[in-house]
């Protein structure tokens, strides 16, 4: 039987009765050594070198070696300590399920030219099934280790952070349109004063905070400006269209502007 035939034989037997990982390792190691010894019938291997190469303990090796022999895959003769190494022999199988035989070819049976009916040999009896107590013990497969800790496996996903809205400063034209819409006196001049003042500050307050509501700040700018005019002209007569009535109108427009902004944008 060729090297490939022995490998195919092994895996056919594995489908019927699975081998353990250590049995697979030892058998294919011996099969490789048999091939290296030019496939001689018998070959020697030192036990100590075998254990070092396969990383097996003495107890595991002797148990697996006996198991392969019991299953009919190998045969061996124990060596003598410090004088000779064990001698191994790879066995082959004619048909899976039948007893093993050695690699030696069987002698051909000569059949007579004329066979009487009474002389026809009886068929080979079917081998009896192997008792349950003699079958090799199958070990349960090892459980795979969990590579990640349990707290990482069941960790809840972190909520996505809300992206902060980027501030875009207003243009001079937007500020002038806003001041003109309020109907203030000298709207363009006051709009330019407001725009160039905060543009020079990089649209930040004196405390360094970014100005997100420039329209609200513009309303306060006009209220403060009107408050100064009111205090300067308090002792003099009030001009038509100005005074307390105009100041109250600005407060009402400021409140209306704030209300519309929060209805449109919500909480920033």
């Amino acid at each position: 039987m060729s090297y490939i035939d022995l490998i195919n034989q092994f895996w056919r037997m594995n489908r019927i009765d699975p081998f353990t990982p250590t049995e697979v390792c030892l058998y294919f190691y011996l099969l490789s050594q048999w091939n290296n010894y030019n496939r001689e019938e018998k070959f020697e291997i030192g036990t100590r070198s075998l254990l070092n190469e396969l990383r097996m303990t003495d107890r595991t090796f002797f148990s697996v070696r006996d198991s392969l022999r019991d299953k009919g895959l190998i045969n061996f003769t124990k060596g003598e300590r410090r004088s000779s190494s064990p001698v191994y022999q790879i066995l082959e199988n004619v048909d899976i399920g039948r007893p093993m035989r050695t690699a030696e070819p069987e002698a051909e049976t000569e059949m007579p030219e004329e066979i009487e009916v009474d002389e026809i040999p009886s068929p080979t009896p079917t081998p009896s099934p192997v008792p349950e107590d003699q079958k090799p013990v199958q070990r349960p497969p090892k459980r795979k280790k969990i590579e990640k800790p349990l707290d990482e496996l069941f960790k809840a996903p972190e909520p996505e952070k809300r992206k902060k809205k980027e501030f875009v400063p207003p243009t001079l034209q937007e500020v002038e349109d806003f001041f003109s819409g309020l109907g203030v006196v000298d709207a363009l001049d006051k709009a330019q004063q407001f725009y160039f003042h905060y543009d020079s500050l990089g649209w930040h307050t004196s405390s360094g905070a970014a100005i997100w509501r420039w329209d609200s700040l513009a309303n306060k700018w006009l209220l403060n400006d009107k408050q100064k005019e009111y205090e300067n002209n308090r002792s003099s007569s009030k001009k038509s269209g100005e005074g307390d009535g105009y100041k109250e109108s600005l407060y009402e427009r400021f409140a209306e502007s704030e209300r519309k902004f929060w209805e449109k944008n919500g909480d920033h």
Side-chain angles (χ1 to χ4, degrees), residues 121-190:
S122 58
T124 304
T126 305
S128 58
V130 181
E132 293 293 334
D133 56 350
Q134 296 182 8
K135 288 186 177 181
V137 180
Q138 297 183 8
R139 300 178 182 177
K142 295 182 179 180
R143 296 183 179 179
K144 294 183 179 180
K145 295 183 179 180
I146 300 177
E147 297 180 357
K148 293 185 178 181
L150 293 177
D151 55 348
E152 294 186 9
L153 291 175
F154 300 99
K155 187 177 181 180
E158 297 181 358
E160 295 183 0
K161 295 182 179 180
R162 188 176 179 182
K163 295 183 179 179
K164 188 175 181 181
K165 187 177 179 182
E166 184 178 358
F167 170 72
V168 179
T171 62
L172 178 60
Q173 185 64 42
E174 290 177 342
V175 177
E176 290 178 349
D177 294 341
F178 179 78
F179 274 69
S180 298
L182 295 178
V184 299
V185 180
D186 299 331
L188 296 180
D189 293 339
K190 293 181 179 180

Side-chain angles (χ1 to χ4, degrees), residues 194-243:
F194 172 81
Y195 176 83
F196 290 117
H197 173 74
Y198 285 102
D199 187 65
S200 64
L201 298 177
W203 293 97
H204 286 76
T205 61
S206 57
S207 61
I211 299 174
W212 290 92
R213 292 290 315 282
W214 66 267
D215 53 347
S216 176
L217 188 63
N219 285 323
K220 293 181 180 180
W221 174 282
L222 291 173
L223 288 175
N224 293 335
D225 186 62
K226 191 61 184 176
Q227 181 68 25
K228 292 178 182 179
E229 292 181 4
Y230 174 76
E231 291 177 356
N232 292 333
N233 299 327
R234 188 173 181 181
S235 59
S236 63
S237 60
K238 298 178 182 180
K239 297 182 179 180
S240 177
E242 298 180 0

Side-chain angles (χ1 to χ4, degrees), residues 100-114:
M100 296 290 180
R101 65 176 177 86
T102 62
E104 300 177 355
E106 296 182 355
E108 297 182 358
T109 304
E110 296 183 0
M111 301 296 293
E113 296 181 358
E114 295 182 1

Side-chain angles (χ1 to χ4, degrees), residues 239-256:
K239 297 182 179 180
S240 177
E242 298 180 0
D244 293 339
Y246 184 71
K247 179 180 178 182
E248 293 175 358
S249 175
L250 284 177
Y251 274 111
E252 292 176 357
R253 294 175 188 174
F254 172 71
E256 181 66 17

